[in-house]
Amino acid sequence: MHLNSESEIEFPKEFSADFRLVRLKGEAFFEVKKEQRPFLVESGSTKIRVLGTSFNVRQKADEPLYVALVTGKVRVDAVNGDQVTLNPDEMLVMEKGGKFSKTGFDTMDVIGWKDNYLVFKSAKFSEVREKLELWYGVQIDVKGRIDPKWTYSGVYKDEMLENVLRGICVTSGMTYQIDKKQITITNPK
């Protein structure tokens, strides 16, 4: 299992004889060994049932639940009684009210974080800022106006914050300053 930043997992010292249950807040990638006892991930009011598989689960604050299946098969049990089965390369997006959709997904984009890949795929500035703040544990302030149509794409592997900022700012005509855990990005336009 890989636990992403600002995420929590809760589990007993020993699993019961009938099932293996963990509670997740945030995001984690699981590789579950197949055995007779089902493996259950509880995220909010939703349960994901697994026998042996690898998958990613993300549910933060007021966001939808995302379950992305890499291998095997999972069943997602919603609080309203709906059950959705996922096959490899399918992702479930479930809103708070229980409305859901299934889509495909880009493996690098969804689970690259577990192998230290920082991935931006046509990301809005707010997404870039949030990822950088979580990834590096910094606070980012912005001076100037960022165009609402601004997007950024890039992939970084085990990269220092300064190199990521340099890549973003050089391609966007912005500048940055680092003062310990405080970053200031300036858009002169």
Side-chain angles (χ1 to χ4, degrees), residues 11 19 38 70 146 169-170:
F11 53 90
F19 57 86
V70 179
I146 305 295
C169 289
V170 164

Side-chain angles (χ1 to χ4, degrees), residues 58-60 62-66 93-96:
R58 183 179 87 211
Q59 185 170 32
K60 297 180 181 180
D62 295 322
E63 291 184 10
L65 168 72
Y66 296 89
V93 180
M94 185 174 291
E95 303 293 333
K96 292 281 185 196

Side-chain angles (χ1 to χ4, degrees), residues 48-95:
I48 298 122
R49 179 178 295 269
V50 182
L51 287 174
T53 190
S54 57
F55 62 103
N56 195 76
V57 178
R58 183 179 87 211
Q59 185 170 32
K60 297 180 181 180
D62 295 322
E63 291 184 10
L65 168 72
Y66 296 89
V67 180
L69 183 63
V70 179
T71 62
K73 193 175 268 195
V74 298
R75 186 180 81 202
V76 180
D77 299 334
V79 71
N80 65 5
D82 285 344
Q83 294 181 340
V84 182
T85 301
L86 294 177
N87 293 307
D89 301 321
E90 288 184 333
M91 180 165 67
L92 173 76
V93 180
M94 185 174 291
E95 303 293 333

